[in-house]
Each structure stands twice: as C-alpha cells, then as structure tokens.
Amino acid sequence: MKRYYANRIILGAMCAFLIVMVVAVAGIGLFSYQQMESETDAFLQGRLEENNGRDGKDGKERGPKLPAMFGYDPGQRRFPSAFWDIRLTADGQITQIHQLGITDEGEDTVREMALQMASSP
C-alpha cells in the first residue's frame, strides 16, 4: 500500500511539472510572436512615414549618406530582410519596381512574379 501512494505522489508531481513546462513554453512562444509582430508593424509604419507614400526617388537627400566600402552599403543595414516595392495600375500593369534591402532576385524575375500574381484571381 505504501508503494501505491508513493507512485501516485510521483505521478502527480510529474503531471504538475509537465503542466508548468507546457504553460511556460506556450507563454514564451506567444510573447515572442507578439513582440515580432509589433516590431514588424513598427518597421513598416516607419517606412511608410519616412517616404510619405512616395518611393523615395524624389531627389531629396534624407540625411548624410555614408559611402559604400568593400561592397557593403551602409544604407542597406536597416532592412532586416529584402523586399520589393511594386506599384501596379488598376488593370495590372507595373508602373514601378523598387528594391529595398539586399536580395539575390533580379528585377526581371520579380517582374514576372508580380505579373503572375496580379493576373491570378
């Protein structure tokens, strides 16, 4: 009988530990996801406010620009990943393609993908 109660206590402790671990891991995952989403929203909002809805090619300097050295452009470091700003007309024609960040994709490949996405329902 003593062994029966010892096994029940051990099983209860293991279940309680498992529940605490699942709650802790789920909490960390949800917190990380929420923080990542808020940082992404802040980044995109900052980009929109910085350009005031324009593409940034209006000829105005937005601050001191550091020179590129050894193939590294300091202006690219603020982008956590590369993406493309593609402007389309209502009928699906591309009016402008602007690369933001460093990417391996060529403009022709991006143009084809954008036209394919614009033509799909």
Side-chain angles (χ1 to χ4, degrees), residues 84-104:
W84 295 83
D85 178 23
I86 302 171
R87 309 281 170 108
L88 300 171
T89 60
D91 59 347
Q93 299 298 319
I94 296 176
T95 59
Q96 178 181 356
I97 295 180
H98 184 103
Q99 176 186 346
L100 301 167
I102 300 170
T103 180
D104 294 334

Side-chain angles (χ1 to χ4, degrees), residues 15-28:
C15 287
F17 181 73
L18 178 66
I19 290 170
V20 168
M21 291 303 295
V22 166
V23 168
V25 169
I28 290 170

Side-chain angles (χ1 to χ4, degrees), residues 1-10:
M1 195 68 151
K2 196 176 198 184
R3 182 149 177 97
Y4 172 76
Y5 288 120
N7 286 342
R8 295 218 18 156
I9 290 172
I10 290 172

Side-chain angles (χ1 to χ4, degrees), residues 30-77:
L30 289 173
F31 177 75
S32 296
Y33 177 76
Q34 186 272 337
Q35 188 173 7
M36 179 185 65
E37 284 293 318
S38 66
E39 287 176 2
T40 302
D41 289 344
F43 170 74
L44 292 174
Q45 187 64 33
R47 287 295 303 157
L48 288 173
E49 289 174 359
E50 177 182 308
N51 289 337
N52 293 329
R54 295 187 306 267
D55 64 346
K57 293 182 179 179
D58 54 0
K60 296 179 184 174
E61 288 294 324
R62 302 206 189 283
K65 185 165 179 142
L66 299 173
M69 297 173 41
F70 307 112
Y72 172 72
D73 184 7
Q76 300 289 342
R77 71 173 176 246

